[in-house]
PDB file of all heavy atoms in Angstrom:
ATOM      1  N   GLU C 340      92.784  25.773  93.689  1.00  0.00           N
ATOM      2  CA  GLU C 340      93.925  25.072  93.105  1.00  0.00           C
ATOM      3  C   GLU C 340      95.124  25.985  92.922  1.00  0.00           C
ATOM      4  O   GLU C 340      96.282  25.530  92.910  1.00  0.00           O
ATOM      5  CB  GLU C 340      93.534  24.452  91.751  1.00  0.00           C
ATOM      6  CG  GLU C 340      92.551  23.294  91.819  1.00  0.00           C
ATOM      7  CD  GLU C 340      91.089  23.733  91.921  1.00  0.00           C
ATOM      8  OE1 GLU C 340      90.820  24.927  92.141  1.00  0.00           O
ATOM      9  OE2 GLU C 340      90.205  22.857  91.782  1.00  0.00           O
ATOM     10  N   GLY C 529      92.707  14.218  94.645  1.00  0.00           N
ATOM     11  CA  GLY C 529      92.196  15.558  94.905  1.00  0.00           C
ATOM     12  C   GLY C 529      91.237  15.579  96.091  1.00  0.00           C
ATOM     13  O   GLY C 529      91.249  14.656  96.933  1.00  0.00           O
ATOM     14  N   ALA C 531      88.023  15.265  96.175  1.00  0.00           N
ATOM     15  CA  ALA C 531      86.894  14.323  96.041  1.00  0.00           C
ATOM     16  C   ALA C 531      85.597  14.860  96.645  1.00  0.00           C
ATOM     17  O   ALA C 531      85.053  14.260  97.573  1.00  0.00           O
ATOM     18  CB  ALA C 531      87.264  12.969  96.645  1.00  0.00           C
ATOM     19  N   ASN C 541      89.449   6.970 101.389  1.00  0.00           N
ATOM     20  CA  ASN C 541      90.519   6.048 101.738  1.00  0.00           C
ATOM     21  C   ASN C 541      91.688   6.873 102.287  1.00  0.00           C
ATOM     22  O   ASN C 541      92.268   7.691 101.560  1.00  0.00           O
ATOM     23  CB  ASN C 541      90.944   5.303 100.457  1.00  0.00           C
ATOM     24  CG  ASN C 541      92.053   4.308 100.693  1.00  0.00           C
ATOM     25  OD1 ASN C 541      92.668   4.300 101.752  1.00  0.00           O
ATOM     26  ND2 ASN C 541      92.304   3.472  99.693  1.00  0.00           N
TER      27      ASN C 541
HETATM   28  P1  NAD Z 108      89.730  13.575  92.768  1.00  0.00           P
HETATM   29  O1  NAD Z 108      91.057  12.940  92.940  1.00  0.00           O
HETATM   30  O2  NAD Z 108      89.314  14.494  93.860  1.00  0.00           O
HETATM   31  O3  NAD Z 108      88.605  12.435  92.632  1.00  0.00           O
HETATM   32  C1  NAD Z 108      88.538  11.536  91.510  1.00  0.00           C
HETATM   33  C2  NAD Z 108      87.698  10.307  91.915  1.00  0.00           C
HETATM   34  O4  NAD Z 108      88.449   9.502  92.840  1.00  0.00           O
HETATM   35  C3  NAD Z 108      86.404  10.675  92.633  1.00  0.00           C
HETATM   36  O5  NAD Z 108      85.399   9.772  92.281  1.00  0.00           O
HETATM   37  C4  NAD Z 108      86.739  10.503  94.104  1.00  0.00           C
HETATM   38  O6  NAD Z 108      85.630  10.180  94.912  1.00  0.00           O
HETATM   39  C5  NAD Z 108      87.745   9.370  94.067  1.00  0.00           C
HETATM   40  N1  NAD Z 108      88.756   9.512  95.132  1.00  0.00           N
HETATM   41  C6  NAD Z 108      89.757  10.426  95.197  1.00  0.00           C
HETATM   42  N2  NAD Z 108      90.452  10.276  96.325  1.00  0.00           N
HETATM   43  C7  NAD Z 108      89.881   9.265  96.997  1.00  0.00           C
HETATM   44  C8  NAD Z 108      90.163   8.636  98.248  1.00  0.00           C
HETATM   45  N3  NAD Z 108      91.167   9.032  99.059  1.00  0.00           N
HETATM   46  N4  NAD Z 108      89.351   7.622  98.637  1.00  0.00           N
HETATM   47  C9  NAD Z 108      88.340   7.198  97.880  1.00  0.00           C
HETATM   48  N5  NAD Z 108      88.030   7.738  96.676  1.00  0.00           N
HETATM   49  C10 NAD Z 108      88.800   8.755  96.244  1.00  0.00           C
HETATM   50  O7  NAD Z 108      89.752  14.334  91.384  1.00  0.00           O
HETATM   51  P2  NAD Z 108      88.621  15.267  90.732  1.00  0.00           P
HETATM   52  O8  NAD Z 108      87.260  14.746  91.061  1.00  0.00           O
HETATM   53  O9  NAD Z 108      89.021  15.393  89.322  1.00  0.00           O
HETATM   54  O10 NAD Z 108      88.811  16.697  91.404  1.00  0.00           O
HETATM   55  C11 NAD Z 108      88.093  17.151  92.543  1.00  0.00           C
HETATM   56  C12 NAD Z 108      88.715  18.431  93.031  1.00  0.00           C
HETATM   57  O11 NAD Z 108      90.048  18.179  93.507  1.00  0.00           O
HETATM   58  C13 NAD Z 108      88.838  19.510  91.948  1.00  0.00           C
HETATM   59  O12 NAD Z 108      88.586  20.742  92.540  1.00  0.00           O
HETATM   60  C14 NAD Z 108      90.298  19.396  91.516  1.00  0.00           C
HETATM   61  O13 NAD Z 108      90.807  20.596  90.984  1.00  0.00           O
HETATM   62  C15 NAD Z 108      90.986  19.054  92.829  1.00  0.00           C
HETATM   63  N6  NAD Z 108      92.259  18.340  92.721  1.00  0.00           N
HETATM   64  C16 NAD Z 108      93.179  18.627  93.660  1.00  0.00           C
HETATM   65  C17 NAD Z 108      94.362  17.909  93.680  1.00  0.00           C
HETATM   66  C18 NAD Z 108      95.333  18.182  94.792  1.00  0.00           C
HETATM   67  O14 NAD Z 108      94.979  18.834  95.758  1.00  0.00           O
HETATM   68  N7  NAD Z 108      96.563  17.684  94.704  1.00  0.00           N
HETATM   69  C19 NAD Z 108      94.609  16.906  92.747  1.00  0.00           C
HETATM   70  C20 NAD Z 108      93.617  16.617  91.801  1.00  0.00           C
HETATM   71  C21 NAD Z 108      92.421  17.333  91.802  1.00  0.00           C
END
Side-chain angles (χ1 to χ4, degrees):
E340 291 83 349
N541 180 349

